[in-house]
Structures are given as C-alpha cells and as structure tokens.
Amino acid sequence: MNMQDKEMDALFRSKLDDYEIEPSPMVWANISEELGNPGKRKSIIPMLRIAASVAIVIGAGAYFWPKQQGLTKTDQRKLTAGVANTGLKTQPANAPKNVHVAQPVNTATQAQPIVKTQLQRVYASVSHHQAVQQSPVVNTAPVVDPKSTDIVTDAQTPQNIAAVTNTQPGNVQTVTNAITAGAGVTPVVPETKLSVTSTDVINQPVTIASVQSESKKRNKIRGLGGLLNAAIGLVDRREDKVIEFTNNEDGDTITGINLGVVAIKKNNK
Amino acid sequence: MFLQPKHITTEELIKRCKAGDRKAQELLYKQFAGKMLAVCMRYAVDRMEAEDMLQNGFIKVFKKMDDYRGDGSFEGWIRRIMVHSSIEYYRKHHKMMQVVDIEESGYEQSVNPIASANLDAKDLMALIQQLSPGYRMVFNLYALEGYSHKEIAEIAGITEGASKSQLSRARGILKEQVEKMEGNRYEYAR
C-alpha cells in the first residue's frame, strides 16, 4: 500500500469522522411514531369476550324462550312484576294482558314479555343510556302487541305465532349484530350500540332460528338457564360471567350480570 | 441539537432506552443523529435519501437495543448498524452498483504529501459524493469505516478482488481532485 494512499485515507477519516449534519425534525417524528405504534392492541380482547357472550345470551334467549312451555302462574307474576319494576310505563305494561290469554297462545305471547324482561334487565343494568335503550324495546311493543291481539282472537296457526315471536328475535338479532359489529371500538360499546338499533328494529329480516321444538336438548342441561350458563362459560372466561342464571324451583332467573363497566350479583345463590 | 447530556450517563441512557423510555430514546437520538447523518450522507445520493437511511437506521438501533451488551464502543455499535442499514437501503432503491470504468487519466503518483489545511469536511464530502456508487461504497467501507476487503466483499456482495481494484481507483480519483482543490485554494490564498 502506498504511503500516500494511507495518508489520504487518514485525511478523509480525520476530517469526516467528527463531521455532523443536523437532520430535519421530521426524522425523529417518524422514528417516534414507528416505535410508538406496536403494542396498543391488547385492551380489546376483554370487550370482545363481553360482546360475544352478550350476543350468545340474547341469541339463545330468543331461540329458546319461545319454546318454553308450562310456566306456572307464579312465574308469570314474577316476570310481569319484573317488567313493572324496570320502570317502563308504556306498552310493556300491557304485557300482562297478553299473558292471560287462551292457553295454546300463551307460548307466543309470553315470548314477548319474557324476552323483553330479559332485555330490560340487561339494559337496566347498564347505567347510562337507559332512556334511549328503552326505546327499542318500547318501539317493538306497538308492532307486536296488536298482532298478538289478533292472534288471541283468531287463534292463529303456528306460522303466525312464529311470525310474532320471530319479530322479537329479529329485533334482538339487530341488537346482537350491532353489538358484535361495534365490539372493537370503545370500552363503552355495549351501551352505545344498543341505542342505535331503534331505527332498524321493526323491519329487520328474521334470521334467527326457525321455530322447531328441541326440548329434548334441555334434558341434558338443567333448564334454559343452565344451557345459557354453559354457552356463556365457553366464551366468557372471567370469574363473573356477563350474565348468570340460576335454576330455582320456579324456573330460571338471572342472578348475576357483569358487563365490565357495571356488575350486579345476587347474594343468596 | 448536539446535546451532551451531562446529568445522565450513557449507561443509564442505554438502560432506559432498552426499557422503551421515549424521552431517553429521544435524547439518545439527539446525541448521535448529527454524526450518523454524516455517515449516511456518504452512502446516499442526496440529502433526502440520507435522512431516510438515518431514520431506518435509528429504528433498527432502538429495536435491537437489547443486543448491545456494553462490550465495545456504543457509538461504534450504532455506526455499524447505520452503515449496514444504509447499504441495504441503497441496494433496495438503486440498481446493482454501477461501477463506471473511468479511463485511467494517466495520472502520476504524486510525491507531494497531501496538505490538508485548506480542505474542510464539507469539501471532502462533496468529493466522495461525486464518485460513482461502487467506488464510493468501497472507499467508505475501507478508508472510513475500517472494514477489510474480505468484509467488504460480504457486505457489498462483490469479490475481494473487485473490492481492491475499486478502492484503488477511488483513491486515484480522489487524490487527483484533492490536489486540484488544494492547488486552487493555494492559488487564491496567495
């Protein structure tokens, strides 16, 4: 190697080693952004669990509840009392009327107040949007009740019963869709999304289960509540599930609700 | 801009950067960015590309922070990442290194020792950037970063022989231009 080569190398080295050029501010901004991004995706999962399990509850409730037969008068009173207690003053108060109808139709008409009760309890447990949430339920009432009156007088065929009962599940399905659709957005998801369904409620096409009797299924698990508990248990891995049922003598009642922001649990289990 | 944070040791700074402390990362960036941009400038075609290389390089630095175990100079460690990252960037954005065969201008090996007083860093940087990419990269890696021809062959994807010949040519060109510049300067200075 030529001495001069080395010298020239040294020249360049000495001058350039300490050379500094100030970068434009954008560079750090980009670096910072790139470093900051990964690692913000962990808080969605618990909300997804809640949303999924709520969807199951409502879906299962709508699916199975029309099938429930042979509820005693005690149950009816308990349910209607529950309806009254949620503070609704409008249509749902008419529900008791529907209940005291001809026997074969009881199944159908009971579907509405029962499902409504369930929905109301869920809604009631969520603190903020109570007023708004009541509206989807309330809105369905005028649609459903006149029909049920018709059923009473005409003693309709099972198809119409299906139509009536399915209207409710249809609405429920909307709610379900809304919830699962909105699951990933904010922690307040269950509350906000429920209020949106009021416009879609009436015309939602029926997609939930056709009315078929599968009462044999229930023999394996203790009652509808047990079934729901099982289904929810698969999805909701927390200690207190989104909604819990207990099978008492009279039937199934809700003994616990946990929606993340709000949690209620019955003590005398 | 070129902060020398006296209230915090480099070691502490590194530890916090490893932990993901954004403030610490920014301090570290501010401490070395100027120098590293100068390094990138040698490999880039222009200032904008150099800044892209700088950006990529530092992102790699922060992501690979855990790999630094305190053995050897920290600045040297950053610099190595910067050089590799810059070359990788260059190869991704430009065609294979074009080595233009500049005719040997028949220059003679000058016997005068090279006076260095009148040339500053900016001038030399300009000279380097005038070289065609192949010569430039080899000269950078050999003369400025201190890699061997064997290492250069690996980094640049060329043979050792090619590395040697390109280095030789690069030096020739540079020397000629340095002397020219010096000569002019000397003239004007008189």
Side-chain angles (χ1 to χ4, degrees):
Chain A
M1 277 290 139
N2 198 319
M3 274 295 285
Q4 302 203 351
D5 284 339
K6 290 267 187 232
E7 278 177 13
M8 194 181 71
D9 290 357
L11 166 66
F12 274 82
R13 231 187 348 261
S14 68
K15 294 283 183 176
L16 290 174
D17 264 5
D18 296 323
Y19 190 36
E20 292 193 33
I21 307 174
E22 185 170 343
S24 54
M26 195 182 61
V27 177
W28 170 248
N30 290 341
I31 294 172
S32 178
E33 188 188 331
E34 173 66 29
L35 291 176
N37 268 346
K40 258 199 175 180
R41 294 265 181 110
K42 315 239 166 144
S43 54
I44 269 190
I45 305 237
M47 272 305 133
L48 284 180
R49 291 202 188 284
I50 293 175
S53 35
V54 168
I56 286 185
V57 166
I58 294 180
Y63 182 100
F64 285 110
W65 227 292
K67 311 307 303 140
Q68 217 167 22
Q69 305 193 8
L71 279 187
T72 65
K73 287 277 172 181
T74 329
D75 289 333
Q76 293 169 3
R77 252 184 281 125
K78 192 185 271 187
L79 288 166
T80 58
V83 170
N85 284 344
T86 56
L88 292 179
K89 303 225 163 65
T90 55
Q91 292 292 1
N94 293 332
K97 238 197 313 183
N98 295 334
V99 172
H100 301 308
V101 181
Q103 205 54 28
V105 193
N106 264 354
T107 318
T109 54
Q110 277 169 21
Q112 299 117 32
I114 291 174
V115 180
K116 269 189 240 161
T117 307
Q118 187 180 19
L119 287 175
Q120 287 152 15
R121 290 195 189 198
V122 174
Y123 294 163
S125 69
V126 178
S127 46
H128 301 135
H129 298 257
Q130 198 160 355
V132 185
Q133 285 157 358
Q134 284 171 5
S135 50
V137 181
V138 169
N139 285 343
T140 64
V143 176
V144 172
D145 285 347
K147 278 196 190 167
S148 66
T149 319
D150 291 338
I151 290 180
V152 169
T153 53
D154 300 339
Q156 292 268 347
T157 63
Q159 276 143 351
N160 284 341
I161 294 178
V164 172
T165 58
N166 282 338
T167 313
Q168 197 69 11
N171 304 329
V172 170
Q173 180 66 17
T174 316
V175 175
T176 308
N177 286 339
I179 290 177
T180 49
V185 180
T186 64
V188 198
V189 154
E191 305 166 87
T192 49
K193 275 304 174 183
L194 285 173
S195 62
V196 174
T197 62
S198 55
T199 52
D200 297 335
V201 143
I202 297 175
N203 296 323
Q204 191 69 13
V206 174
T207 53
I208 268 204
S210 52
V211 182
Q212 285 156 21
S213 73
E214 292 188 21
S215 47
K216 54 182 176 186
K217 238 193 203 173
R218 231 175 294 126
N219 291 336
K220 293 189 208 156
I221 302 173
R222 260 186 136 237
L224 170 64
L227 177 69
L228 287 177
N229 276 345
I232 292 169
L234 287 174
V235 177
D236 192 344
R237 296 289 178 189
R238 304 171 298 164
E239 177 107 11
D240 286 330
K241 313 294 181 189
V242 65
I243 190 167
E244 261 181 59
F245 296 90
T246 302
N247 188 272
N248 302 324
E249 294 169 358
D250 305 324
D252 295 320
T253 52
I254 297 174
T255 47
I257 289 178
N258 181 5
L259 279 166
V261 286
V262 168
I264 303 172
K265 190 139 188 164
K266 223 182 202 176
N267 292 332
N268 55 340
K269 276 188 51 158
Chain B
M1 173 67 221
F2 311 126
L3 296 178
Q4 299 298 330
K6 299 233 157 79
H7 56 285
I8 179 174
T9 65
T10 305
E11 195 180 328
E12 177 65 27
L13 194 63
I14 294 171
K15 189 152 65 143
R16 292 195 196 172
C17 285
K18 285 189 186 185
D21 178 350
R22 189 54 48 80
K23 258 289 154 207
Q25 288 170 337
E26 187 171 358
L27 269 180
L28 190 129
Y29 167 83
K30 288 196 151 76
Q31 189 174 342
F32 293 105
K35 212 175 256 191
M36 292 306 137
L37 182 56
V39 169
C40 294
M41 275 293 268
R42 303 177 204 156
Y43 298 93
V45 297
D46 57 24
R47 169 71 183 255
M48 204 164 61
E49 186 171 77
E51 288 200 342
D52 281 343
M53 290 175 174
L54 179 72
Q55 190 175 303
N56 284 1
F58 261 102
I59 289 172
K60 282 209 180 89
V61 163
F62 288 122
K63 286 191 174 168
K64 294 171 115 200
M65 203 67 153
D66 284 334
D67 293 349
Y68 179 68
R69 311 221 184 260
D71 48 348
S73 143
F74 185 54
E75 182 178 323
W77 182 78
I78 294 184
R79 199 189 194 108
R80 266 195 301 284
I81 293 180
M82 204 61 57
V83 167
H84 280 81
S85 167
S86 298
I87 293 181
E88 189 185 310
Y89 184 101
Y90 188 93
R91 295 175 82 180
K92 207 196 289 190
H93 290 80
H94 300 271
K95 293 192 291 184
M96 278 304 290
M97 296 286 174
Q98 305 275 359
V99 179
V100 177
D101 253 329
I102 296 181
E103 343 124 13
E104 316 276 23
S105 51
Y107 62 90
E108 279 142 20
Q109 297 285 350
S110 171
V111 293
N112 302 331
I114 296 174
S116 60
N118 298 328
L119 295 177
D120 63 4
K122 221 155 77 151
D123 299 322
L124 296 181
M125 182 66 89
L127 290 183
I128 288 180
Q129 290 197 308
Q130 280 170 26
L131 289 173
S132 59
Y135 296 151
R136 179 153 40 118
M137 190 185 59
V138 173
F139 181 77
N140 282 334
L141 290 172
Y142 190 92
L144 301 180
E145 315 296 345
Y147 288 106
S148 69
H149 286 295
K150 185 159 186 285
E151 289 166 325
I152 294 175
E154 275 178 41
I155 296 172
I158 58 179
T159 65
E160 276 189 60
S163 177
K164 287 178 184 161
S165 68
Q166 282 175 40
L167 175 67
S168 168
R169 295 210 175 125
R171 277 175 171 158
I173 297 168
L174 286 174
K175 201 186 304 182
E176 196 179 318
Q177 298 186 319
V178 164
E179 284 168 356
K180 215 188 290 181
M181 270 179 120
E182 290 243 306
N184 293 341
R185 298 265 170 101
Y186 187 66
E187 291 272 331
Y188 293 136
R190 228 190 316 172

